[in-house]
Amino acid sequence: MLLRRAGSDALKERMKKLAFGDRGIPHLQRDEFAKQFSAQPADIAVLKQFADRQGLAVVQEDLKRRTVVLSGTVAQFNEAFDVDLQLFEHPGGVYRGRMGPIHLPDELKGIVEAVLGLDNRPQARPHFRNRAPAGNVHWRAGAAASFAPTQLASLYDFPSGTGKGECIAIIELGGGYRPADLATYFSEIKVAKPSVVAASVDHGKNHPTGDPNGPDGEVMLDIEVAGAIAPAANIVVYFAPNTDAGFLDAITTAIHDTIHKPSVISISWGGPEASWTQQSMTAFDQAFQEAAALGITVCVASGDNGSSDGVNDGKDHVDFPASSPYALACGGTSLQAANGKISSETVWNDGANGGASGGGVSAFFALPSWQAELRTTNSKGVKSPLPMRGVPDVSGDADPQTGYDVRVDGQDTVIGGTSAVAPLWAGLIALLNAGKGSPVGYVNPQLYKNSTALRDVTQGDNGEFAAATGWDACTGLGSPNGKAIAATLGIQTT
């Protein structure tokens, strides 16, 4: 259960100033945030009294994460929240779901903001795409068909550095990594192997499946891309169950981790907004606001199914949590290079296999101030005012045909998808943080104010939406121009 935070009005005012790009707002330290905005002990006491009357056990409480975990039988939860929990089948097996809305007793109204975990269906999917194998993969300079992350960092003019002193959090909802594969991979691309630590959330753990086409591909892609770009940064992989509660717990655990203290979070999992409950999206968005207040940048993949986001209702959809205004939503391009320079970059849209950069207009989140007066361009060239939050914000190479050289479960392969773009940007943010000596934090307003610092992508479409000069609902403001972005943030580079 997610509880209300103390000082919520003060945090809202801080978020408003950050959204308008006020760079004079200092980032809070984690201990400062905990003192000002943790859940109130009195609220915990009321919840415990409620749980005791219902026969529910309090198995975990965390004031700074505003989270209380309850345990009990199905019958007890049905009675406590006036729901009907049942078992349902889905392609992957059986899950517990609820019939009807959740009802809060009067004593908990104004205290409890979300009740998650009653439904334990798989909530999100990874946003990576394997490329069909075509013989052995070799990492070689100038390869046009695939790129080591270090090559892309060079093509995108990332600033020099190693990310030393920074911590990159990676959220995973399945699969795992093998240290031996990481050692081999980083040796082959001639990069020092980064420190990688697995953190268990809600009993999730590093559990390689042995299937390179399964979730292991997501985990290894994320680590290898971020680690290749910022090899001296500490990488902490937060493993959690693939449920709305597990996903949120992984994010809040990373945000409030006082041991590893991540300055950037990479998320490559998500699903169409239509597949989420309102309370879940609100809870995640609040967590991202907390990240912004702490100076943590949250990079999120925008999805791999174009403007429909894989929903077969004939309408346009965007992916969540990328659609949160407090996330840096990362779309996808198809990149060609020659002689160490980018020769062309277009919207990633592989019509043959259905993969394309996710992007469009949120149906849930209001238009942020930094996207005011922007327009969408449809595939027929018609421009319309942007009415709600537009996705994505930025982009990077995601086409499996111009994808990333990685190693998964003992195999060298090539992977694409917007899953690769989130850790690409997370690695860049780690370099920027290290170069600045402090976190750049919530960068969305600054990027929109200085859009010429990005490489504008003006060709291609993702289905309903087309690329255009300036921001578009396929590639956002464009792909990274690392040193130019550093300059706009006042960071000197070499």
Side-chain angles (χ1 to χ4, degrees), residues 312-403:
N312 298 316
D313 62 359
K315 300 178 181 179
D316 300 321
H317 296 268
V318 293
D319 210 74
F320 181 81
S323 62
S324 164
Y326 293 94
L328 183 69
C330 302
T333 68
S334 179
L335 182 145
Q336 297 290 334
N339 302 317
K341 295 183 178 181
I342 296 173
S343 55
S344 71
E345 192 166 19
T346 61
V347 178
W348 167 44
N349 189 344
D350 182 2
N353 296 319
S357 174
V361 182
S362 173
F364 184 76
F365 292 102
L367 183 69
S369 58
W370 33 266
Q371 286 190 324
E373 300 181 8
L374 294 181
R375 292 175 174 268
T376 60
T377 304
N378 69 17
S379 55
K380 297 179 181 178
V382 178
K383 295 183 179 294
S384 302
L386 181 63
M388 300 278 279
R389 157 70 160 141
V391 177
D393 300 304
V394 296
S395 57
D397 183 33
D399 186 347
Q401 300 307 312
T402 64

Side-chain angles (χ1 to χ4, degrees), residues 15-296:
M15 291 300 99
K16 186 183 299 183
K17 292 178 180 179
L18 284 174
F20 277 99
D22 188 340
R23 299 177 71 176
I25 303 297
H27 297 137
L28 294 172
Q29 298 300 312
R30 285 177 170 83
D31 58 347
E32 293 176 323
F33 187 95
K35 290 177 182 178
Q36 295 183 45
F37 302 115
S38 291
Q40 297 281 18
D43 289 345
I44 298 284
V46 172
L47 182 55
K48 284 183 173 180
Q49 293 172 2
F50 162 77
D52 185 62
R53 287 198 305 273
Q54 298 295 332
L56 301 171
V58 176
V59 297
Q60 183 186 106
E61 58 183 271
D62 191 319
L63 290 175
K64 61 181 180 295
R65 292 175 51 230
R66 300 183 295 118
T67 299
V68 173
V69 178
L70 302 179
S71 176
T73 66
V74 166
Q76 287 169 329
F77 278 108
N78 283 344
E79 176 68 22
F81 298 107
D82 193 18
V83 294
D84 182 11
L85 299 179
Q86 299 182 12
L87 293 179
F88 298 88
E89 293 185 359
H90 70 103
V94 177
Y95 69 87
R96 182 183 65 244
R98 62 179 169 85
M99 302 290 289
I102 296 171
H103 297 274
L104 286 178
D106 290 340
E107 64 195 288
L108 297 184
K109 291 179 180 178
I111 293 177
V112 174
E113 294 187 339
V115 179
L116 306 175
L118 296 177
D119 188 319
N120 67 352
R121 76 186 72 196
Q123 181 61 60
R125 60 192 179 208
H127 293 316
F128 75 98
R129 297 270 175 153
N130 291 92
R131 189 172 73 180
N136 293 330
V137 177
H138 300 283
W139 291 287
R140 61 185 186 277
S146 62
F147 304 93
T150 48
Q151 290 176 294
L152 287 169
S154 177
L155 291 169
Y156 285 135
D157 200 24
F158 281 14
S160 60
T162 62
K164 185 176 181 179
E166 301 303 316
C167 176
I168 301 173
I170 297 177
I171 306 299
E172 302 292 357
L173 305 179
Y177 64 88
R178 301 177 190 276
D181 279 341
L182 295 179
T184 299
Y185 177 78
F186 288 106
S187 175
E188 290 189 339
I189 66 170
K190 296 179 172 55
V191 170
K193 179 180 175 293
S195 168
V196 181
V197 175
S200 175
V201 179
D202 296 349
H203 308 293
K205 61 181 180 178
N206 176 26
H207 181 66
T209 65
D211 178 8
N213 297 314
D216 293 354
E218 180 61 74
V219 178
M220 296 297 285
L221 173 70
D222 293 342
I223 296 172
E224 290 169 354
V225 172
I229 293 169
N234 294 321
I235 296 178
V236 181
V237 188
Y238 297 82
F239 288 97
N242 187 6
T243 63
D244 57 0
F247 199 169
L248 178 63
D249 285 346
I251 292 169
T252 58
T253 298
I255 290 171
H256 297 287
D257 188 338
T258 57
I259 297 175
H260 301 105
K261 301 179 180 179
S263 61
V264 57
I265 298 175
S266 178
I267 301 174
S268 294
W269 297 71
E273 284 183 336
S275 69
W276 294 80
T277 64
Q278 179 175 329
Q279 66 163 354
S280 292
M281 289 193 284
T282 299
F284 276 65
D285 186 60
Q286 289 181 357
F288 293 161
Q289 290 180 44
E290 295 174 11
L294 291 165
I296 302 169

